[in-house]
Every structure is written in structure tokens, then in C-alpha cells.
Amino acid sequence: MEVKPPEGGDQYKWQWQKEIESFLQNSEDECDKPLYFLAIGRIEQVDAMRWAKSLLEQNEQLNGLGALKWQVVTDQLIELVSDKGANILVSKQDKRIIDDILEGLSLYGLKISPFKWSQFFDTRLPTLSLTHSQLNKGMPASTSKSPKLLADSGITQLNQHNFPRLDLEVFSNLLRPHHANS
């Protein structure tokens, strides 16, 4: 197994080859057992597939090779301790250990929440704009009532704003730092 932290150096084929050779040299008496190599972190699947082909051809004892990104490992840990993993028995002690691992992984910027962005977009709410026309639905046709009467009836009066169009070129020029020499 070759593990790279989420922040740090990448995986390299020559390093994998040395790991495999070292293992085979140190376990000559166990050569009849199948060998599987796993790399975690800092690896692209395209590279792993390309390297796996040549490493499997070069090492007949090597039966398989796998490579995972840290987010995949993190997602599996999240599933173990979430409601989705309820059918997998995880002791309280193991759950605390996995929670600590997840907290550590979050320090590297990995997503440790089981929520997905797609869940936030799956909504049937109307789209709001700067004019907020959707918010005025349900307002009485006549707003001649006093603001106090509107507030007493639970209806908040909204002001319609006609914002001027924003000239992006002028706005971007205002954001550029002015140099004393110019």
C-alpha cells in the first residue's frame, strides 16, 4: 500500500515498482500468496490504469492494483457512520475513531458532510429576482391600507425597486487599483 496525504507529493510509477519489488524480496517464502497493491491519494485514474498495465505485465506475482482518491475514501467513511450505513455494524468506539479520521481529513479541505449540492437544487420554490415579483403574490390588490394595518394582518409590504443597470466596464475600472505613477 502506498498512501499520500491529500496535500503533498504525487504518486509515481517508479515508487510503486520499488514498493512491489521490496515486498517481493522481503517475502520470498510467501510468493505463493497473491499480491495486491493499493495506492491512496494524489493519483489520477488515467495514470493508475496506464501504470497498472505495465506493472501487472512486469510482476507475475502481482494479481491486482487499485488506486483511490481521498474523497472516495472519505465518502466511504461517511457512509459507514451515516444512516445509509445503518445495516453495517459499527461499534461506538469505531464510530468515534472514524469521526476523528473524518475531522482530520476535513483539515485538508475534503468534504466530510453526507449532503450533496444536488440536494440543495432539488426544490420546487420559484426563482426570485431583484424585483421580487414572486414575493408580491398574495398581497392585496389595494395597498391603500395603512402599513400598521398591513403588519397587523401578517402581510409585510414590499417596496419595488428599479435598480439602475450596472455598467460592468465602469464598475471593473473602479475595482482596479490606481497607481500613483499613472
Side-chain angles (χ1 to χ4, degrees):
M1 181 181 292
E2 179 65 23
V3 178
K4 296 287 185 181
E7 302 278 332
D10 291 332
Q11 301 272 357
Y12 295 100
K13 180 184 172 188
W14 61 265
Q15 189 176 29
W16 292 9
Q17 181 64 43
K18 287 186 179 234
E19 291 280 339
I20 293 166
E21 289 172 0
S22 174
F23 179 82
L24 292 173
Q25 286 176 358
N26 291 331
S27 60
E28 287 180 8
D29 56 330
E30 299 178 24
C31 281
D32 59 334
K33 291 184 180 179
L35 172 62
Y36 296 92
F37 185 85
L38 175 63
I40 300 176
R42 310 287 299 168
I43 182 67
E44 295 298 325
Q45 290 299 314
V46 172
D47 293 331
M49 289 171 44
R50 190 169 18 104
W51 300 348
K53 184 179 181 197
S54 68
L55 288 170
L56 287 166
E57 290 171 358
Q58 293 171 9
N59 302 286
E60 63 184 56
Q61 298 92 340
L62 183 61
N63 286 14
L65 188 142
L68 299 170
K69 289 188 172 191
W70 275 111
Q71 191 60 61
V72 174
V73 174
T74 304
D75 292 344
Q76 292 295 315
L77 291 171
I78 290 168
E79 190 171 327
L80 276 175
V81 295
S82 72
D83 294 337
K84 289 181 183 177
N87 59 348
I88 300 171
L89 295 176
V90 177
S91 70
K92 288 182 181 180
Q93 181 181 4
D94 287 345
K95 184 180 179 328
R96 285 193 301 272
I97 291 169
I98 292 170
D99 286 342
D100 286 347
I101 292 169
L102 289 171
E103 286 299 316
L105 290 169
S106 75
L107 297 175
Y108 288 103
L110 291 158
K111 179 187 77 70
I112 63 166
S113 165
F115 301 111
K116 303 206 181 308
W117 280 109
S118 60
Q119 292 172 309
F120 294 109
F121 298 122
D122 185 25
T123 178
R124 302 196 193 325
L125 296 175
T127 303
L128 297 178
S129 68
L130 288 176
T131 59
H132 302 294
S133 61
Q134 291 291 327
L135 293 176
N136 285 332
K137 288 188 177 181
M139 289 287 288
S142 167
T143 54
S144 60
K145 295 182 179 180
S146 71
K148 171 146 180 40
L149 188 56
L150 284 172
D152 290 342
S153 64
I155 299 173
T156 306
Q157 187 173 9
L158 298 174
N159 293 329
Q160 291 289 331
H161 295 283
N162 291 325
F163 296 105
R165 293 186 61 82
L166 179 62
D167 185 340
L168 293 178
E169 188 174 330
V170 171
F171 186 69
S172 65
N173 287 334
L174 291 173
L175 293 177
R176 290 191 184 116
H178 297 301
H179 298 290
N181 297 341
S182 53

